[in-house]
Amino acid sequence: MVSERGLDVLRAIVQDYVSSREPVGSRTIVDRYTFGVSAATIRNDMAALEEDGLIVAPHTSSGRVPTDKGYRMFVDHLAEVRALTTAQRLAIRTFLEEGADLDDVLARTVRMLAQLTNGVALVQIPVVPRSYVRHVELVALSPSRVLVVLITDAGRVDQRVVELPQPEQDPFDDVALAELRARINSALVGRLIADVAPAIDALSAELPPARRSAVERIGSALAATIDDRRQDRLLLAGTANLARTERDFPGSILPVLEAIEEQVVLMRLFREMELDDRGVSVSIGRENPLVGLAETSILAGGYRSSAGEVARLGVLGPTRMDYSGNIAAVRAVARYLSKLLGEE
């Protein structure tokens, strides 16, 4: 059992090491914190912490730095989360509200989170199995190429370029494209995403052969878009921030970068992190099963999409991270994102 003062000493060591990257000695703690005891007493507390595996001396006769176990105890006993400033909260709200659609909002979210935490920000793109078609737009790019845009009730916008066949008789022109757009929207608007394929098949059967092939190609593009939506994906930003903390990764930063590229495995780890009563989850150092992330910490939170689905967002960085500030940032961004998507 760690004493109350021992826990305070650990908290001081973590905070000092995170801010300075220098091992922390007993004299530093006495000078910077008001414990009201001698340096010898603090040394005894540090000896007990070291015996419990919470801190370690990286070099002979040096100060001490936290271990993974020490960071874990610090996070579990975090007395308070440092509040974001009024300016930071205003910046989050303003930046996210300027998003044009769901994709833009999520892209803004991951960039904002990377700026707030100086880490690698991750946002899960929500899988929305019960979203509905709001509109399908066809935009002519050339006589034989058309941009197919799918818009759902969740505000998600997807687009693909399709090559349309040009029959010798009755080729596609603006009038024909407008007619096709109207027929497709009449068949699809208000339908579940999952029902798009059979609706396209039924529409194709009703059209003359000269138009059937075009509808089938557009249907294939929509089906490919829907298949993409059924797969968990992550948006990432701030990978360059790792370069600024390269000293925190002994040996090489390459294994961390390679691990980040494994999105499927990283997504599974993200999903398996259970949120605590603060609405966050923290996986520290060797608690991360993914090869290459043993010297990193991952902090995750959850947000609710406009369709009610819960997805994750978070930040990845070295174990020497500002846990209090990052928890505050993740919670604030998740809250604003849920509110914004809920309003839409």
Side-chain angles (χ1 to χ4, degrees):
M1 292 292 292
V2 179
S3 67
E4 193 64 35
R5 191 178 64 230
L7 190 58
D8 289 339
V9 171
L10 174 64
R11 186 177 292 113
I13 292 172
V14 171
Q15 292 172 343
D16 226 61
Y17 181 61
V18 166
S19 64
S20 69
R21 198 189 270 114
E22 296 296 332
V24 184
S26 58
R27 176 55 61 185
T28 299
I29 295 176
V30 169
D31 291 342
R32 295 183 182 177
Y33 300 90
T34 55
F35 282 97
V37 297
S38 67
T41 301
I42 296 297
R43 279 196 296 273
N44 290 336
D45 292 330
M46 292 177 66
L49 293 174
E50 189 168 11
E51 186 175 347
D52 288 337
L54 300 172
I55 59 175
V56 66
H59 309 291
T60 304
S61 302
S62 71
R64 303 297 185 267
V65 301
T67 62
D68 289 353
K69 184 179 177 182
Y71 283 124
R72 167 53 60 196
M73 179 162 286
F74 171 79
V75 170
D76 290 346
H77 291 81
L78 196 59
E80 59 183 20
V81 174
R82 187 173 66 250
L84 297 184
T85 66
T86 301
Q88 287 175 320
R89 293 196 299 271
L90 179 61
I92 294 172
R93 184 173 69 249
T94 303
F95 190 61
L96 297 189
E97 287 177 349
E98 291 175 353
D101 52 43
L102 178 61
D103 288 344
D104 189 24
V105 169
L106 294 180
R108 287 169 173 270
T109 297
V110 77
R111 295 203 304 273
M112 171 60 70
L113 196 54
Q115 291 173 10
L116 288 171
T117 63
N118 294 314
V120 180
L122 310 97
V123 174
Q124 178 187 3
I125 299 176
V127 177
V128 190
R130 294 196 60 80
S131 61
Y132 293 83
V133 176
R134 178 184 293 175
H135 183 70
V136 176
E137 185 59 53
L138 304 180
V139 181
L141 302 177
S142 73
S144 62
R145 298 172 75 237
V146 63
L147 179 68
V148 180
V149 183
L150 172 64
I151 305 172
T152 71
D153 63 326
R156 178 77 180 270
V157 179
D158 292 285
Q159 54 190 34
R160 289 177 183 264
V161 176
V162 175
E163 295 284 342
L164 294 182
Q166 290 291 328
E168 294 183 5
Q169 301 295 326
D170 194 19
F172 272 100
D173 55 19
D174 291 342
V175 174
L177 192 63
E179 179 185 350
L180 188 59
R181 181 191 305 115
R183 296 289 295 269
I184 289 176
N185 277 285
S186 177
L188 298 185
V189 170
R191 287 185 179 272
L192 282 168
I193 289 292
D195 296 336
V196 164
I200 284 287
D201 290 341
L203 174 61
S204 178
E206 297 173 0
L207 296 175
R211 296 286 180 258
R212 194 170 298 160
S213 178
V215 171
E216 289 173 350
R217 293 190 185 187
I218 291 172
S220 296
L222 293 173
T225 296
I226 293 167
D227 285 342
D228 286 346
R229 287 176 172 225
R230 290 172 177 160
Q231 301 175 9
D232 281 338
R233 289 185 293 144
L234 287 174
L235 286 178
L236 282 78
T239 303
N241 286 333
L242 291 177
R244 300 186 181 96
T245 57
E246 191 167 2
R247 287 171 53 193
D248 291 310
F249 302 99
S252 172
I253 199 173
L254 186 60
V256 181
L257 298 175
E258 291 175 341
I260 292 174
E261 291 181 357
E262 295 292 335
Q263 284 213 10
V264 175
V265 182
L266 191 59
M267 187 70 250
R268 184 167 65 245
L269 172 62
F270 220 30
R271 286 198 308 267
E272 291 173 353
M273 295 173 66
E274 296 185 7
L275 305 185
D276 59 21
D277 54 4
R278 295 174 297 189
V280 296
S281 179
V282 185
S283 183
I284 300 171
R286 289 174 177 78
E287 295 173 359
N288 295 314
L290 185 58
V291 174
L293 297 184
E295 294 167 348
T296 69
S297 287
I298 302 174
L299 198 158
Y303 74 94
R304 190 172 295 276
S305 72
S306 55
E309 300 292 323
V310 176
R312 295 294 177 86
L313 79 171
V315 60
L316 179 151
T319 55
R320 191 192 65 84
M321 70 159 55
D322 179 7
Y323 292 96
S324 178
N326 288 355
I327 288 173
V330 168
R331 289 173 60 186
V333 172
R335 183 168 60 249
Y336 281 116
L337 183 57
S338 296
K339 183 176 185 293
L340 179 61
L341 297 182
E343 288 175 349
E344 297 204 1

